[in-house]
Amino acid sequence: MGKFSFWPESASSFAWEVDALYIFIGLVCLVFGLGVFLTVVGFAIKYKRKSDDEIPEQIEGNLPLEIFWSVVPLGIVLAMFAWGAVLFFKMSTPPAEALNFSVVGKQWMWKVQHPEGKREINELHIPIGQPIKLTITAEDVLHSFYIPAFRTKIDAVPGRYTTSWFEPTKAGEYHIFCAEYCGLDHSRMIGKVVVMEPTQYTQWLKNGNVAVASVAGNEPPEAVGARLFEEQRCVTCHQTNGTLGPMLAGVFGHEVKLQSGETIMADETYVRESIMNPTAKIVAGFQPLMPTYQGQLSEDQLIQLIAYIKSLSQTGIQTQAEHRAENEG
Amino acid sequence: MAAVEVHDTPELQEPERRTYLNAGHTLSSWLLTVDHKRIGIMYLIAVTSFFLVGALFAALVRLELTTPAGDLLSADLYNKAFTMHGVVMVFFVLIPSVPATLGNFLIPIMIGARDVAFPRLNLFSWYLFMAGGLFALSAAVTGGVDTGWTFYTPYSSTYANGSVLLAGMGAFVAGFSSILTGLNFIVTIHTMRAPGMHWFRLPLFIWAHYATALIQVLGTPVIAITLLLMMLERGLHIGIFDPTLGGDPVLFQHLFWFYSHPAVYIMILPAMGVISEMIACFSRRRIFGYSFVAFSSLAIAIIGFFVWGHHLYVSSQSVYVGLVFSFITFLVAIPSAIKTFNWAATMYKGSISYDSPMIFVLGFMGLFLIGGLTGLFLAAVGLDVHLHDTYFVVAHFHYIMVGGAIMGFLGGLHFWWPKMTGRMYPELPAKIAAWLVFAGFNLTFFPQFLAGYIGMPRRYHEYPPEFQIFNVMSSGGAVVLGIGYLMPMIYLIWSIFYGKKASANPWTGKGLEWTIPSPPPTENFERTPIVMEEAYEYSHLEVKKVG
Ligand code: HEM
Ligand SMILES: [Cu+2]
């Protein structure tokens, strides 16, 4: 954090890549801008009116010149586009080995949960050199999770999950800002990322953080999710050979066929919608029986349930399609 | 196009000459007028008053931001101040600035008509505008609004306290004024052109307003519906935008920017038209590449409808959608570049005089250049992830909307002031004001690019201390800028009473407006002019510069 400077701190693998594009566009603009500026100033001096009745030579225009100064800038901006696009693509595609943290924004704080279950508020402790993926949502209004030193930002949208990822490269403490205006204390919805050596991070995970020790539940989210699955009676319909509701093992991350004939990728947002607004998308072969859980589950609990459902697909349990094929065959 | 049938070669005017100004002196002769010129003046007074209100809020914001701590205003007041600043400046200053004032005054005259196509509708538009303004101002005094001018849901529809409905209503009603004005201009330009005034003889000011009017008519209804839905959701919880009611908060952003991106062109295109007129006149040159400049206005108006998604790169929009919007955004930069190059080329081998409006032109070119070029940083999607919602964006759009649009507006006001009032303003203060605005503007907004790149988010009441230096520079610059804006208000009003009488054509211009006396008679032209030349036919001059 520290003192005034003209350049933001650089603490993720994206930082220099974003800076490189910034410098490239900056230099192009400087050359172009100065070119136009000097031309105008030059003309302004050279062609100053000499007498009140001076009549200058009239020039209609010049087609080759028009083509030249349309096509050349077009080529240059397309290069900028391509560079920005490639970079964005990379920033939007977390690597498979990334650790998944969840972040919930609410007026006016950030709640974070580590994959192992540890929770913190307005702080994010992470190890150097480890790709980290954030799955983000909001409880109330829009927020935006912004870490200038990492050059990453993603909106926290109520009712949806967004993701962002980065790989921290430098130990230190950096700002977290809320970048989307969210009401009264928007400018106080700030926090810090603490980037640590991996050994320190393991240490920190073990010792806990005294300041947030009071935040309940440092269990892994999928474990809590499994309990919720029982408590909320999801099991009544979604048990292994249930006919009331589809089995959930192997659903996450796969395509689901809907009543309407569409297929849809079962991601976090889909699962969430299925819980909160079950009749919006009915799976082919089932009735719209499921009650809504709107208002009964907190954002944290939703994240835990989703983590559990996700874990069902990672433990090698057969997928729904395989199951059905077996039954039919 | 000066070689028209000009009959009464306007000598130094005898005081009894009937003009639109002395056609009636009562208040009702103004409030019930259907003369496009008087309506233009009434808009000018209204817009200037709103500008003062908006500037007052800006002053509060800048004062608060001189120190990192939120000490002068409470967070609540700060949020209300920047919201009112945005609402007033966008909907009640920038959008009507050039079209409603200069456009109203000049479009009929420039095409050789006696009035707009629907004079009563024109007056009605003014009343709608004033009604919208009163709604917005009453929002400020009945608790204020703290949603930002963007009214993002679900904050505005569910969470915000205060007079959101009144402010929304203000923008909604003013929107209809804008739609009707656009409609009026389109019909006027299509049907009321004088004999011989072909499309390609139209001054570029007209082309720019035509393109603007298209956006007003096609885009404004969308924002009207969007704001209405937001207000309905707030009042009746209908569940369009709030996810807990089954709505989609991002839908609001799509609808909002579908209008509001084109709206930024509503602000800048007319100013570009003003610049074309002035640069031609003060260089005594036909605009280089006339048809390229004309069509680039249309290209901007059309392509501008397909770039709204660049405000949503990090709003959970899909990656591919982001890429498509980035691509189209880069395309829309080209017509702006074409205009800039053609303006520069117009000066080549010209005969350039530096009367004060020309200083505003040069200022416009400098600021618009910076504003347009910094748009390229934001258009590059991978880079915008970092820049979005920081002060970099704040600086960018101020360069365009304030640096560009207001500079064009002020320049145009100086340029046509003699025509509108029949008086000359003093040159020296005008030149000083133009330079002060240019310098003050850069001092205010350039540091914000730097603050933005190091990560200062916008709409922050408090901020970490490392951003302070930029904010101090910005607040200091705002003082200079404020003086630059206040000066014209003083000497322009002074000139109405004490200024030298203006001749019909003080700048040796070529438009039809310079063929009629200053100030013009109510009917503009005694006899319908017949146009026999292209616009900007500076190969010969008949009128010697007087006064
Ligand atoms: C060269 C042409 C331009 C390009 C490439 C460009 C690009 C962009 C981009 C990508 C953004 C979104 C940034 C973000 O929110 O992260 C943006 C914001 C903005 N631009 Fe431009 N722009 C250009 C010209 C203009 C013009 C002509 C105007 C106005 C007349 C304008 C006014 C604005 C405004 C008002 C915003 C943001 C408003 C807000 O968030 O409140 N831009 N521009
Ligand atoms: Cu926030």
Side-chain angles (χ1 to χ4, degrees):
Chain A
M1 295 189 217
K3 293 170 290 298
F4 146 77
S5 96
F6 278 103
W7 209 262
E9 283 181 283
S10 303
S12 84
S13 55
F14 292 134
W16 72 265
E17 294 195 57
V18 171
D19 289 355
L21 178 55
Y22 179 67
I23 292 168
F24 168 69
I25 298 181
L27 286 178
V28 171
C29 287
L30 199 68
V31 170
F32 251 81
L34 272 183
V36 172
F37 179 77
L38 292 178
T39 311
V40 169
V41 170
F43 289 171
I45 295 169
K46 181 135 187 252
Y47 302 114
K48 191 167 158 42
R49 188 170 299 170
K50 305 206 172 51
S51 69
D52 258 359
D53 47 9
E54 183 180 46
I55 295 179
E57 174 196 348
Q58 297 294 315
I59 308 170
E60 285 269 308
N62 183 324
L63 187 61
L65 203 56
E66 298 284 351
I67 293 173
F68 172 76
W69 66 40
S70 310
V71 172
V72 171
L74 185 65
I76 296 174
V77 298
L78 288 185
M80 293 177 186
F81 160 73
W83 189 336
V86 170
L87 180 57
F88 182 60
F89 201 79
K90 202 159 150 189
M91 295 171 98
S92 311
T93 332
E97 75 275 16
L99 285 181
N100 193 3
F101 286 56
S102 71
V103 177
V104 178
K106 69 177 288 264
Q107 286 177 326
W108 290 277
M109 64 173 79
W110 294 107
K111 299 191 288 184
V112 176
Q113 187 166 25
H114 290 243
E116 306 76 16
K118 191 164 189 88
R119 291 164 177 278
E120 11 182 10
I121 287 181
N122 289 346
E123 289 191 9
L124 172 61
H125 288 75
I126 44 175
I128 289 188
Q130 165 67 50
I132 304 236
K133 177 183 164 195
L134 306 176
T135 301
I136 302 186
T137 189
E139 275 181 17
D140 37 38
V141 299
L142 299 167
H143 304 277
S144 191
F145 194 78
Y146 177 32
I147 305 174
F150 292 176
R151 316 284 189 274
T152 57
K153 176 185 295 123
I154 188 76
D155 283 5
V157 183
R160 278 193 200 186
Y161 295 99
T162 52
T163 57
S164 170
W165 81 277
F166 42 75
E167 183 183 320
T169 52
K170 197 171 125 216
E173 296 190 352
Y174 311 100
H175 290 297
I176 299 171
F177 290 134
C178 176
E180 181 64 69
Y181 176 68
C182 57
L184 188 68
D185 275 332
H186 169 55
S187 69
R188 292 193 177 157
M189 192 165 160
I190 62 180
K192 63 178 182 193
V193 198
V194 184
V195 179
M196 304 189 284
E197 295 298 337
T199 48
Q200 276 180 305
Y201 176 68
T202 341
Q203 193 64 28
W204 177 84
L205 270 183
K206 251 194 273 143
N207 295 347
N209 191 333
V210 193
V212 286
S214 59
V215 182
N218 283 344
E219 263 179 290
E222 57 272 17
V224 186
R227 264 207 316 281
L228 281 170
F229 201 73
E230 295 279 340
E231 284 164 20
Q232 298 287 335
R233 305 311 301 152
C234 313
V235 280
T236 25
C237 298
H238 295 285
Q239 56 206 351
T240 325
N241 39 16
T243 46
L244 289 175
M247 280 195 335
L248 299 183
V251 166
F252 195 93
H254 295 92
E255 305 234 303
V256 175
K257 221 171 144 57
L258 300 182
Q259 198 87 66
S260 61
E262 293 169 88
T263 49
I264 188 165
M265 174 55 96
D267 57 7
E268 284 95 344
T269 302
Y270 168 75
V271 175
R272 181 201 165 90
E273 188 185 34
S274 304
I275 301 173
M276 303 299 266
N277 188 10
T279 47
K281 299 198 176 77
I282 302 295
V283 179
F286 291 92
Q287 297 300 313
L289 296 176
M290 177 165 161
T292 171
Y293 284 82
Q294 182 90 50
Q296 300 172 36
L297 295 168
S298 70
E299 289 300 334
D300 291 330
Q301 290 175 319
L302 274 166
I303 288 171
Q304 288 152 349
L305 272 172
I306 293 169
Y308 168 64
I309 291 166
K310 209 165 165 181
S311 73
L312 292 179
S313 307
Q314 287 160 351
T315 45
I317 304 174
Q318 58 182 183
T319 68
Q320 202 180 341
E322 284 161 354
H323 178 75
R324 203 175 292 138
E326 255 170 43
N327 282 358
E328 285 160 10
Chain B
M1 112 209 61
V4 290
E5 293 183 38
V6 185
H7 305 278
D8 50 344
T9 329
E11 314 293 0
L12 287 180
Q13 291 113 27
E14 63 277 23
E16 305 84 273
R17 192 174 60 79
R18 297 276 289 167
T19 73
Y20 83 100
L21 284 174
N22 64 20
H25 293 287
T26 58
L27 189 60
S28 64
S29 77
W30 282 91
L31 292 179
L32 298 177
T33 183
V34 290
D35 181 342
H36 65 101
K37 299 181 288 302
R38 285 188 161 217
I39 294 174
I41 299 289
M42 295 204 298
Y43 270 115
L44 180 61
I45 296 169
V47 167
T48 309
S49 316
F50 283 120
F51 183 73
L52 287 174
V53 174
L56 187 77
F57 287 109
L60 287 178
V61 167
R62 280 309 341 153
L63 219 58
E64 169 61 72
L65 291 179
T66 12
T67 58
D71 35 19
L72 179 72
L73 303 175
S74 65
D76 184 45
L77 278 180
Y78 178 81
N79 295 344
K80 287 173 176 163
F82 80 68
T83 300
M84 277 319 284
H85 168 68
V87 169
V88 169
M89 287 302 202
V90 169
F91 297 109
F92 299 97
V93 177
L94 288 163
I95 289 179
S97 61
V98 176
T101 59
L102 299 175
N104 247 320
F105 195 98
L106 291 162
I107 288 174
I109 304 183
M110 281 185 168
I111 63 173
R114 297 226 150 104
D115 208 320
V116 292
F118 308 116
R120 284 204 182 83
L121 188 67
N122 203 15
L123 180 65
F124 180 59
S125 308
W126 184 80
Y127 278 101
L128 278 178
F129 177 70
M130 295 309 285
L134 290 183
F135 272 119
L137 292 182
S138 60
V141 294
T142 56
V145 199
D146 73 341
T147 58
W149 75 279
T150 44
F151 294 108
Y152 271 15
T153 54
Y155 185 69
S156 61
S157 58
T158 309
Y159 290 83
N161 299 314
S163 307
V164 181
L165 290 179
L166 277 177
M169 218 35 215
F172 180 80
V173 172
F176 283 93
S177 154
S178 181
I179 296 171
L180 295 178
T181 302
L183 190 71
N184 220 334
F185 287 174
I186 291 177
V187 178
T188 306
I189 296 170
H190 269 278
T191 61
M192 316 261 297
R193 282 170 290 130
M197 181 60 95
H198 318 147
W199 283 91
F200 289 97
R201 285 180 178 175
L202 287 173
L204 289 164
F205 182 87
I206 302 292
W207 275 98
H209 275 80
Y210 187 77
T212 307
L214 285 181
I215 308 178
Q216 286 175 301
V217 170
L218 295 176
T220 318
V222 178
I223 188 84
I225 294 166
T226 312
L227 290 176
L228 194 64
L229 287 174
M230 181 273 284
M231 293 187 275
L232 284 176
E233 176 146 316
R234 193 173 163 82
L236 307 173
H237 312 288
I238 54 173
I240 304 279
F241 302 124
D242 186 342
T244 57
L245 302 171
D248 179 356
V250 182
L251 175 64
F252 179 88
Q253 296 178 33
H254 282 285
L255 294 173
F256 179 84
W257 288 110
F258 181 81
Y259 164 76
S260 293
H261 187 83
V264 304
Y265 295 110
I266 296 183
M267 304 171 201
I268 196 70
L269 278 172
M272 290 169 155
V274 169
I275 296 302
S276 293
E277 295 304 308
M278 296 198 290
I279 210 164
C281 176
F282 292 105
S283 310
R284 286 197 179 153
R285 282 283 305 276
R286 179 182 155 77
I287 287 286
F288 191 90
Y290 169 96
S291 48
F292 285 87
V293 178
F295 281 117
S296 62
S297 287
L298 288 183
I300 288 175
I302 294 164
I303 305 175
F305 270 110
F306 300 98
V307 301
W308 77 89
H310 67 219
H311 298 273
L312 288 86
Y313 287 150
V314 300
S315 303
S316 79
Q317 154 182 286
S318 99
V319 178
Y320 297 99
V321 172
L323 298 185
V324 170
F325 277 119
S326 171
F327 182 77
I328 307 175
T329 302
F330 275 114
L331 293 188
V332 82
I334 302 301
S336 299
I338 292 176
K339 277 187 194 281
T340 310
F341 295 142
N342 280 300
W343 286 328
T346 301
M347 295 170 67
Y348 172 67
K349 292 196 174 167
S351 160
I352 307 169
S353 79
Y354 296 99
D355 300 299
S356 50
M358 187 62 184
I359 313 290
F360 283 99
V361 171
L362 295 177
F364 171 97
M365 296 205 0
L367 300 183
F368 182 71
L369 191 65
I370 298 178
L373 289 173
T374 50
L376 301 176
F377 293 78
L378 299 170
V381 50
L383 183 50
D384 186 60
V385 170
H386 177 55
L387 296 174
H388 175 71
D389 267 337
T390 65
Y391 264 84
F392 194 95
V393 174
V394 176
H396 159 73
F397 70 76
H398 278 90
Y399 264 88
I400 302 265
M401 308 204 307
V402 185
I406 298 292
M407 204 74 170
F409 174 56
L410 274 181
L413 195 59
H414 283 78
F415 185 52
W416 284 294
W417 188 259
K419 182 56 59 188
M420 296 167 83
T421 63
R423 300 289 183 153
M424 298 305 288
Y425 51 82
E427 259 300 283
L428 184 66
K431 281 186 178 150
I432 295 175
W435 285 113
L436 276 184
V437 169
F438 183 75
F441 188 91
N442 282 305
L443 192 55
T444 309
F445 291 103
F446 202 85
Q448 296 184 358
F449 285 122
L450 306 174
Y453 196 73
I454 62 171
M456 178 163 171
R458 62 194 282 210
R459 299 178 169 174
Y460 261 35
H461 166 236
E462 298 177 345
Y463 55 84
E466 66 263 33
F467 299 122
Q468 184 174 15
I469 174 119
F470 304 107
N471 283 288
V472 170
M473 285 197 260
S474 221
S475 296
V479 175
V480 181
L481 187 58
I483 297 173
Y485 284 143
L486 272 180
M487 282 179 63
M489 289 191 201
I490 297 168
Y491 62 73
L492 286 180
I493 292 176
W494 176 90
S495 76
I496 296 178
F497 303 100
Y498 308 108
K500 254 193 311 177
K501 284 220 158 41
S503 68
N505 189 359
W507 318 114
T508 60
K510 282 287 182 174
L512 283 181
E513 74 272 28
W514 304 116
T515 64
I516 59 174
S518 311
T522 301
E523 68 279 12
N524 298 346
F525 301 92
E526 253 164 41
R527 268 209 261 152
T528 305
I530 297 169
V531 181
M532 297 187 306
E533 285 181 348
E534 301 202 316
Y536 320 117
E537 192 52 67
Y538 281 96
S539 52
H540 53 91
L541 297 169
E542 303 95 55
V543 201
K544 196 120 180 30
K545 184 168 170 172
V546 212

